[in-house]
């Protein structure tokens, strides 16, 4: 609460944004931790992200989540005060003001790690295939490596993009290079303990064109996208022998929890909010 009794103002900015579950999640976290807050969705014009962010903070905004397609622009805006994670990811999903300065962090990687742990598939000691080399993949490469996977391979439809991503990370953290591979989808090899889909293919309803025999025994197939029904990638994974599958709803709640901790200094409980969201999405 502010002195005047008005709840502090938070929000998420993107384009499109109407579908966002973040208001529900943050208001639930607020209830849980007895913090009074407001949280809104903000549609920024594709050419008006900077102006939208400036207006939000000029009008009393305290913290802002950033989603597609603005995470790279948020990184540029907060360039003077970036967390290590944001700097290495090249993307920002959490903004806040501190001493009159805009700060940025990326909590997507932490959200994924927490969810993999929750699912009983922590990355430590695992061989992981990361499919995709766009913004979503970039944000999770380093957290996965730092969590101690023995090998991480990025496979992308455009192989050059995967190799560029590897070169970028290896340039910044050279000691990771020996456990980091990159290439095309058909070079994906296997077997892998965890296969993570970070492509936008599920949004289009077609799975990435992956070779067979990717999955080790007890492997987990994880789609960063979430939906009421299994995504095209998860359906393909089941069909190709993945024993366990999960969508990205847990990652969504996990990244929100990490942002909440930055803003409010309290770590909320993810589980009840995740259950409520599942019910809302008509999950069983
Ligand atoms: P995002 O920020 O969501 O990662 P992006 O930067 O546009 O968005 O990246 C989209 C990713 O999904 C890329 O890795 C893209 O592959 P290309 O680099 O070859 O374009 C991948 N992608 C999208 N649709 C795909 C499909 N049908 N099959 C395989 N990969 C796909």
């Amino acid at each position: 609460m502010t002195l005047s009794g008005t709840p502090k103002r938070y929000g998420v900015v993107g384009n499109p944004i109407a579908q966002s579950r973040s208001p529900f999640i943050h208001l639930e976290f607020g209830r849980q931790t007895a913090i009074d807050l407001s949280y809104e969705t903000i549609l920024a014009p594709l050419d008006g992200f900077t102006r939208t962010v400036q207006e939000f903070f000029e009008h009393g905004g305290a913290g802002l989540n950033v989603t597609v397609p603005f995470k790279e622009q948020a990184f540029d805006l907060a360039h003077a005060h970036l967390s290590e994670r944001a700097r290495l990811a090249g993307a920002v999903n959490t903004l806040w003001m501190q001493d009159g300065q805009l700060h940025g962090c990326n909590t997507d990687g932490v959200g994924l790690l927490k969810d993999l742990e929750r699912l009983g598939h922590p990355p430590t000691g695992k061989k992981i295939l990361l499919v995709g080399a766009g913004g979503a993949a970039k944000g999770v490469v380093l957290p996965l490596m730092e969590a101690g996977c023995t090998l991480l391979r990025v496979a992308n439809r455009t192989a050059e993009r995967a190799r560029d991503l590897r070169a970028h990370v290896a340039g910044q953290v050279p000691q990771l290079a020996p456990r980091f591979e990159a290439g095309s989808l058909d070079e994906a090899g296997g077997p892998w303990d965890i296969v993570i889909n970070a492509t936008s293919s599920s949004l289009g309803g077609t799975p990435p064109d992956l070779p067979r025999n990717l999955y080790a025994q007890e492997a987990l197939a994880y789609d960063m996208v979430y939906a009421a029904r299994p995504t095209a990638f998860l359906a393909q994974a089941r069909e190709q022998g993945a024993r366990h599958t999960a969508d990205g709803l847990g990652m969504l709640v996990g990244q929100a929890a990490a942002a909440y901790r930055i803003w409010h200094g309290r770590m909320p409980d993810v589980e009840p909010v995740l259950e409520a969201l599942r019910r809302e999405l008509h999950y069983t």
Side-chain angles (χ1 to χ4, degrees):
M1 271 283 208
T2 59
L3 283 179
S4 64
T6 316
K8 279 199 187 169
R9 189 175 168 215
Y10 298 86
V12 58
V13 56
N15 187 330
I17 198 61
Q19 81 295 345
S20 173
R21 306 276 165 174
S22 293
F24 176 85
I25 297 169
H26 280 268
L27 292 173
E28 283 297 314
F29 287 165
R31 254 190 288 281
Q32 233 185 55
T33 54
I35 293 175
D36 194 17
L37 58 98
S38 76
Y39 194 104
E40 66 209 84
T41 53
I42 300 166
L43 178 71
L46 290 174
D47 61 353
F49 175 71
T50 301
R51 196 177 62 245
T52 304
V53 172
Q54 281 165 351
E55 279 172 9
F56 176 78
F57 285 109
E58 277 165 18
H59 291 92
L64 196 56
N65 284 133
V66 181
T67 189
V68 177
F70 298 125
K71 291 182 189 182
E72 270 105 353
Q73 285 185 57
F75 173 87
D76 292 338
L77 261 186
H79 70 277
H81 301 281
L82 292 169
S83 68
E84 182 74 352
R85 290 223 180 284
R87 199 174 56 74
L88 291 166
V92 157
N93 77 337
T94 305
L95 292 167
W96 69 102
M97 278 290 176
Q98 200 175 309
D99 303 325
Q101 305 286 319
L102 190 65
H103 285 61
C105 185
N106 189 319
T107 65
D108 287 333
V110 180
L112 175 63
L113 292 187
K114 289 256 171 263
D115 204 33
L116 292 176
E117 276 164 30
R118 187 186 65 83
L119 293 162
H121 295 265
T124 322
K126 304 274 171 46
K127 287 174 67 184
I128 301 181
L129 180 69
L130 179 64
V131 187
K138 265 195 210 167
V140 300
V141 162
L142 220 71
L144 286 170
M145 299 220 69
E146 285 174 347
C149 62
T150 49
L151 180 63
L152 180 71
R153 184 178 182 93
V154 177
N156 197 45
R157 183 175 58 183
T158 313
E160 198 187 349
R161 243 182 131 186
R163 288 194 274 268
D164 286 350
L165 175 53
R166 182 185 179 279
H168 171 76
V169 173
Q172 302 216 39
V173 195
Q175 65 270 30
L176 296 182
R179 353 184 231 124
F180 192 8
E181 301 176 349
S184 63
L185 294 180
D186 59 6
E187 295 165 338
W192 300 97
D193 302 309
I194 303 176
V195 179
I196 299 169
N197 181 29
T199 74
S200 46
S201 66
S202 291
L203 301 173
T206 39
D209 196 8
L210 285 162
R212 292 192 158 263
N213 303 319
L214 284 183
Y215 295 96
Q217 268 192 355
E218 300 302 325
L220 170 72
Y222 190 99
D223 200 335
M224 285 197 196
V225 169
Y226 64 88
R229 300 218 189 94
T231 64
F233 166 75
L234 293 180
Q236 177 197 56
R238 278 278 184 212
E239 198 256 315
Q240 296 186 356
R243 184 78 186 272
H244 308 279
T245 53
D247 72 9
L249 198 64
M251 178 178 170
L252 176 78
V253 183
Q255 63 77 28
Y260 193 88
R261 181 161 65 173
I262 292 172
W263 293 337
H264 305 285
R266 301 272 303 274
M267 190 64 186
D269 187 3
V270 161
E271 205 70 49
V273 179
L274 188 51
E275 277 169 25
L277 263 182
R278 290 243 178 249
R279 278 197 300 275
E280 214 187 78
L281 283 174
H282 305 294
Y283 279 16
T284 50

